[in-house]
Amino acid sequence: MKPSYQFFAFVTVILFCSCTSGSFDIVIKGGQVMDPDSGLDDVRNIGIQGGKIVIVTQDKITGKRIINADGLVVSPGFIDLHDHGQNEEAFRFKALDGVTSAFELEVGTGDVAKWYIERDESQFIHYGVSIGHIPVRMIVTGDEGDFLPSGPAKTVVASESQIAEMTRRFEEGLNQGAVAVGFGIAYTPAATVEEFEEMLRVASQYNASAHIHVRGGLDGLREAITGAANTGTALHVVHANSSGAEQTAEFLAIIEEARAAGQDVTTEAYPYSASQTYIESALFDDWKTWEPERYQIFQWVNTGERLSRQSFAQYRAMGGIVIVHQRTEAMTRTAIESPLTMIASDGHIENGRGHPRGSGSYARVLGRYVRDEGILDLMDALRRMTIEPARRLEARVPAMQTKGRIYAGADADLTIFDPETVIDRATYTNGAVPSEGFRYVLVNGVPIVDGGRFVEDVRPGRPIRVDEH
């Protein structure tokens, strides 16, 4: 038995002994317990005490509260590795989509200590952040863009002293507890391979995975894989469907080839054909050269309108978020069907506006692609939502070793849903609509979704970070 599991077994014995003379805090009764880590797929009762799962059993157990899960699936809580909406509004929609832990790992932050302080320790769900190359580069180059670069962080080749300062800030952020490092190389085209790999070396030294939005399709993917191999860094490639587009199959094949060669590379996808980003970003710096019809694929989030050349110019000068309708459903299916891809939302809901992926990614996979279309097996879909994201982070983040699983001693982060009714309801014109079918969501053993209703007056979510060095 591994030492960590010896400890959890010891804690479990203590907790179980403390409950046998009375009752558990909560008992989840008669649900179809599906745990992709162990392969358990059967009706069980679960006893919860003190925020932990104490027992998973076929025997009858009693509790202060009984949740009847007959006909429902009981799964580990979903773990979203790519969520930009790190605020209470967004967390509410996450919980209603079955998510119990959400991380900002692609863009991240330039000030890890401040980021955690701003979230006041407790939230609806668990949360965490990376130290991000984008915001660090913006600080070092004096870029005043909002969230993504709009000035010198896009265009300036960093000097040796600037790279040294970025390195220092990366180390500082990792020492302050960042769970990973983040890159959006597509948004910082002036960043050289040398700069990129220097930051990767820092990640490797701290045993941190690098979560990267690659640049330039297949060539950019190869650049990232080579850089990670050169520096010994664990690599996570974000939104394979977005970055791969019409070459998604080839994109995934390159990742599979690297994995077969023994490299630690993982990836993710979200289940929608449109993307979302900031209109002022480097992705669209050539906008003046486009043919007139291309502007029509852009949708301004605040109004829902499709853009013309004139409105594109107007909104680009203002800055803000656009939804980009540039891929097909077939491209999305290619990514979702692949056993390589975890499910991650890339979501961002703010002030009642946003992409539907911020509200409905997990329900959409379970309702559309598992139940209605049958292109995914339910257990496999849950694997990509629970244990695989946990494993991606657990080498650096001990807290993740007890998440994404159902066993005695694991955290009581659980999602209970109706497989016959679960579905997303958000749309591209109204992204802030909660999913249906999630009956109960427990965070640290506390129901945050109860009988399908969100519970506003509890904050069981906690910061997930690495102990400060």
Side-chain angles (χ1 to χ4, degrees):
M1 185 180 290
K2 294 180 181 178
S4 60
Y5 285 97
Q6 287 178 332
F7 172 76
F8 296 136
F10 176 70
V11 171
T12 300
V13 169
I14 294 174
L15 288 172
F16 180 68
C17 289
S18 71
C19 293
T20 52
S21 60
S23 63
F24 297 98
D25 291 337
I26 291 179
V27 167
I28 299 171
K29 178 183 176 183
Q32 187 73 20
V33 177
M34 299 186 69
D35 176 33
D37 182 43
S38 65
L40 175 63
D41 183 5
D42 206 348
V43 175
R44 292 288 189 273
N45 302 315
I46 299 175
I48 296 169
Q49 184 82 7
K52 292 283 186 179
I53 296 171
V54 178
I55 190 170
V56 182
T57 181
Q58 292 177 304
D59 297 335
K60 182 178 179 179
I61 54 177
T62 62
K64 298 171 186 174
R65 178 176 179 189
I66 305 294
I67 292 176
N68 183 4
D70 182 43
L72 305 177
V73 171
V74 182
S75 164
F78 305 154
I79 299 168
D80 189 349
L81 296 182
H82 191 164
D83 175 50
H84 298 301
Q86 294 284 318
N87 56 62
E88 287 200 352
E89 179 186 13
F91 288 155
R92 183 180 294 106
F93 287 107
K94 290 278 117 180
L96 288 163
D97 202 30
V99 174
T100 56
S101 300
F103 296 89
E104 163 60 274
L105 301 184
E106 176 205 30
V107 175
T109 182
D111 189 335
V112 171
K114 179 181 177 183
W115 190 92
Y116 280 106
I117 289 171
E118 288 173 344
R119 279 148 190 83
D120 296 326
E121 289 300 312
S122 62
Q123 290 287 337
F124 295 131
I125 63 175
H126 305 306
Y127 57 95
V129 75
S130 69
I131 181 70
H133 178 250
I134 286 176
V136 165
R137 199 172 208 274
M138 290 171 69
I139 292 168
V140 171
T141 62
D143 191 306
E144 297 180 355
D146 177 17
F147 191 66
L148 292 178
S150 61
K154 292 195 297 183
T155 58
V156 170
V157 175
S159 66
E160 287 186 12
S161 62
Q162 287 175 318
I163 292 175
E165 176 61 11
M166 289 184 225
T167 299
R168 186 194 70 77
R169 287 177 178 271
F170 257 48
E171 291 174 343
E172 180 179 65
L174 289 161
N175 282 323
Q176 290 174 345
V179 304
V181 300
F183 294 89
I185 297 297
Y187 295 109
T188 58
T192 63
V193 171
E194 291 74 21
E195 176 186 331
F196 173 49
E197 292 195 4
E198 187 60 31
M199 301 301 107
L200 285 175
R201 285 187 186 92
V202 178
S204 181
Q205 291 165 9
Y206 285 80
N207 201 25
S209 51
H211 297 244
I212 178 171
H213 180 158
V214 303
R215 57 184 170 194
L218 302 184
D219 288 342
L221 175 61
R222 293 187 183 98
E223 174 188 68
I225 289 173
T226 299
N230 289 344
T231 57
T233 309
L235 178 66
H236 183 79
V237 180
V238 305
H239 50 50
N241 50 328
S242 225
S243 295
E246 67 275 5
Q247 296 177 304
T248 295
E250 294 92 333
F251 195 93
L252 292 168
I254 292 170
I255 294 174
E256 178 59 33
E257 182 180 357
R259 288 170 58 87
Q263 192 169 347
D264 185 357
V265 185
T266 55
T267 192
E268 67 184 45
Y270 57 83
Y272 295 89
S273 58
S275 60
Q276 175 180 283
T277 192
Y278 281 71
I279 195 170
E280 69 270 25
S281 79
L283 300 182
F284 313 128
D285 280 355
D286 63 345
W287 69 275
K288 292 181 180 178
T289 68
W290 297 347
E291 295 297 321
E293 60 271 14
R294 183 171 177 183
Y295 300 99
Q296 287 290 309
I297 69 173
F298 293 89
Q299 180 181 356
W300 188 241
V301 165
N302 286 339
T303 63
E305 68 185 288
R306 293 296 186 107
L307 302 188
S308 63
R309 180 182 175 89
Q310 181 180 3
S311 57
F312 188 97
Q314 175 189 348
Y315 290 134
R316 184 170 165 91
M318 292 170 48
I321 299 175
V322 285
I323 293 173
V324 190
H325 298 269
Q326 60 183 351
R327 297 191 312 275
T328 66
E329 174 63 16
M331 296 174 198
T332 304
R333 273 206 193 90
T334 297
I336 297 299
E337 284 182 299
S338 170
L340 290 177
T341 56
M342 302 177 201
I343 304 303
S345 71
D346 195 5
H348 186 175
I349 300 292
E350 190 170 10
N351 297 322
R353 307 297 299 181
H355 192 294
R357 66 193 184 189
S359 302
S361 286
Y362 294 85
R364 186 174 180 85
V365 170
L366 296 172
R368 180 170 185 169
Y369 295 115
V370 172
R371 181 189 62 234
D372 296 344
E373 298 188 10
I375 68 171
L376 278 184
D377 171 77
L378 177 55
M379 184 69 88
D380 190 47
L382 294 176
R383 171 184 67 86
R384 305 192 212 175
M385 299 174 177
T386 60
I387 187 62
E388 292 301 331
R391 287 173 179 157
R392 175 71 283 173
L393 298 181
E394 66 184 18
R396 173 167 166 79
V397 188
M400 299 309 294
Q401 296 173 10
T402 50
K403 297 190 186 299
R405 305 154 166 93
I406 297 178
Y407 68 90
D411 296 335
D413 296 338
L414 297 166
T415 293
I416 305 172
F417 63 94
D418 185 343
E420 298 303 317
T421 63
V422 65
I423 197 66
D424 63 317
R425 298 191 301 132
T427 67
Y428 291 118
T429 54
N430 190 0
V433 181
S435 297
E436 288 185 348
F438 292 100
R439 300 287 297 279
Y440 302 91
V441 177
L442 279 68
V443 176
N444 274 342
V446 177
I448 190 69
V449 175
D450 196 337
R453 295 176 178 271
F454 188 79
V455 182
E456 292 282 355
D457 58 352
V458 296
R459 299 289 190 283
R462 294 294 180 265
I464 297 176
R465 64 194 301 179
V466 180
D467 289 340
E468 294 189 27
H469 296 270

